Amino acid sequence: MQPGPDPSLQKVPQVRSRPLLIGGAILVLASSIFGTVMFLRVAEGGAYTVPVESSMPLALGDKLAMRMGRDSCNVNVLGLVPDGRVLGVGCGESAPAPLARKSLNARTSVYFQGGTAKGDVVLVNHAGAWSRAEVLGLAPERNVQVRVLEAEAIEPVVDQRSLVIVQRASDAIEQGIDVPLPVDAPVLAGDMLALPQGSGGTVPVRIEAVTGDTVRVQRGRGALAGFTPEASPPSEEPRSALWVRAARTIDAIPAGTVVLGREGSAWVRSTVLGPEKDRKVRIKRVDGGAEEVRPQQDLLLLRSGGQGP
C-alpha cells in the first residue's frame, strides 16, 4: 500500500480566500439565472419581474411570465378562477389549466427597454393597494403620469420603475385575445369563435348551427370582420371545445361589434355604440334594453358590425 501524503505538506486554505470562493459561486449562479430569464436585477432600478400577488387585480389578456426550472415562457391570462388562481397555458403545455399565482411573475418597466409607453396598462401600488392604471405620458425625473382606471379622477405621478406592465399598447394591433368559451355563455349561428389548435394556438370558425351541446362550424382564416372560410366542409364539434375572442383593456372595439357580457348570473347580447373614457364602451342590448357604459375588459366579441345581432 502506498503511504498517504504527508499532512505537513498539505496547504491549508486561508480564511481570506473564502469570500472570493463564495463570491465566485454567487456570480456563476447569478449569471445562469440572468442568462435564462433575466429574473432579478439587484442594481438600482429594481427587479425585472415581481411575484404575482393575490391582491394584484388581473384581467383577461394580461401577459405574465412563468418559470419552470431553467425554462421560462409567456402566459396570457385566459380567465380568473374564484379561488384566486389564473387560467392560462403553462410552459410546455397545450391546454389551459388553473395556475397558482406563486408560479407566475409580472414584468416591471425595468424589463422593457425604454420603459413604459403611453397607453400601456400597468399595476400601480397606490394608497397602499394595487390598482390597474393606464400610462398617460412621461413626467420629469424618470417618472410617469398614470390614470387609475377604477377612479378616473386620480392621475398620480409615479416612479416608472415601480410599475408592473401587464398589457403593452403596442400589442393592440391584434384585436382581442382568444379565451375558452364560458360553459354557460350562449352562442348563435353566425357567431365568430375559434377552436384550439396545438401549442395554445387557435383556428377561427364560424358557427353554422347549434344543436344542444354540439355545434357545426366552418373553419377559416381571420377573426371577426376578416374571416374567410376554407374550402373544407363544416364539421361537428363539442360546444365545450369552443374559444371566443375577449376584449383586452388595450383594444379598440369598433362600433357595431356584437358582444356578450354578464348581468348578474345571465349573459346579455349587446351592440357596441362607441368608446367612452377610461377604456370603457357604451353598449345597447340587442333586445332593445337601455344603453349602459361597461369596462371593455368584461366583454366577449361575437361578430363585427354588419354581421347581424
Side-chain angles (χ1 to χ4, degrees):
M1 177 179 297
Q2 297 291 330
D6 186 344
S8 65
L9 298 179
Q10 295 183 21
K11 295 183 178 179
V12 179
Q14 299 296 316
V15 173
R16 65 174 177 268
S17 69
R18 290 178 182 174
L20 295 177
L21 293 174
I22 296 173
I26 293 175
L27 180 61
V28 171
L29 177 60
S31 299
S32 174
I33 294 175
F34 184 85
T36 303
V37 72
M38 296 192 295
F39 193 62
L40 291 176
R41 179 178 178 179
V42 180
E44 182 181 359
Y48 278 102
T49 64
V50 295
V52 174
E53 300 176 10
S54 60
S55 59
M56 287 181 173
L58 301 177
L60 290 176
D62 286 352
K63 184 174 289 187
L64 306 174
M66 185 177 188
R67 189 166 183 233
M68 296 289 290
R70 296 180 62 88
D71 296 326
S72 63
C73 64
N74 290 323
V75 173
N76 288 320
V77 176
L78 304 179
L80 300 175
V81 183
D83 63 9
R85 290 180 296 172
V86 174
L87 187 66
V89 180
C91 297
E93 303 295 334
S94 59
L99 305 173
R101 290 195 177 212
K102 65 181 180 180
S103 69
L104 301 171
N105 291 276
R107 295 181 175 93
T108 71
S109 62
V110 179
Y111 178 92
F112 298 95
Q113 185 175 6
T116 59
K118 182 179 180 181
D120 285 350
V121 177
V122 299
L123 302 182
V124 57
N125 201 313
H126 176 71
W130 288 103
S131 298
R132 295 180 71 83
E134 177 184 359
V135 175
L136 300 178
L138 297 177
E141 299 181 356
R142 302 181 69 180
N143 294 327
V144 294
Q145 186 169 22
V146 301
R147 177 187 292 122
V148 178
L149 296 177
E150 291 87 351
E152 60 185 49
I154 301 178
E155 296 184 356
V157 173
V158 298
D159 184 341
Q160 68 170 329
R161 293 170 298 178
S162 68
L163 297 177
V164 174
I165 301 179
V166 289
Q167 294 186 27
R168 298 280 284 176
S170 57
D171 291 338
I173 54 174
E174 294 185 4
Q175 183 185 1
I177 180 174
D178 288 330
V179 301
L181 179 70
V183 294
D184 59 341
V187 292
L188 302 174
D191 288 346
M192 313 298 296
L193 286 92
L195 287 171
Q197 182 177 267
S199 301
T202 59
V203 56
V205 298
R206 181 181 62 211
I207 295 183
E208 303 294 313
V210 180
T211 306
D213 293 332
T214 302
V215 292
R216 187 168 71 249
V217 300
Q218 175 63 60
R219 286 173 167 77
R221 297 185 302 276
L224 299 175
F227 181 81
T228 301
E230 295 179 350
S232 58
S235 62
E236 303 287 330
E237 305 289 344
R239 185 193 177 286
S240 59
L242 292 173
W243 288 44
V244 64
R245 184 60 56 99
R248 299 170 296 184
T249 309
I250 56 174
D251 294 314
I253 307 177
T257 303
V258 177
V259 299
L260 199 61
R262 277 194 183 276
E263 289 191 9
S265 60
W267 289 95
V268 176
R269 294 173 75 93
S270 303
T271 302
V272 174
L273 302 179
E276 294 284 338
K277 291 178 59 177
D278 299 323
R279 304 290 182 160
K280 298 177 181 178
V281 290
R282 181 173 294 275
I283 60 176
K284 183 177 178 61
R285 294 174 56 149
V286 299
D287 61 7
E291 297 179 9
E292 63 174 320
V293 175
R294 294 276 300 268
Q296 63 184 48
Q297 69 190 39
D298 294 342
L299 302 175
L300 306 178
L301 313 181
L302 297 179
R303 57 181 80 182
S304 62
Q307 294 179 324

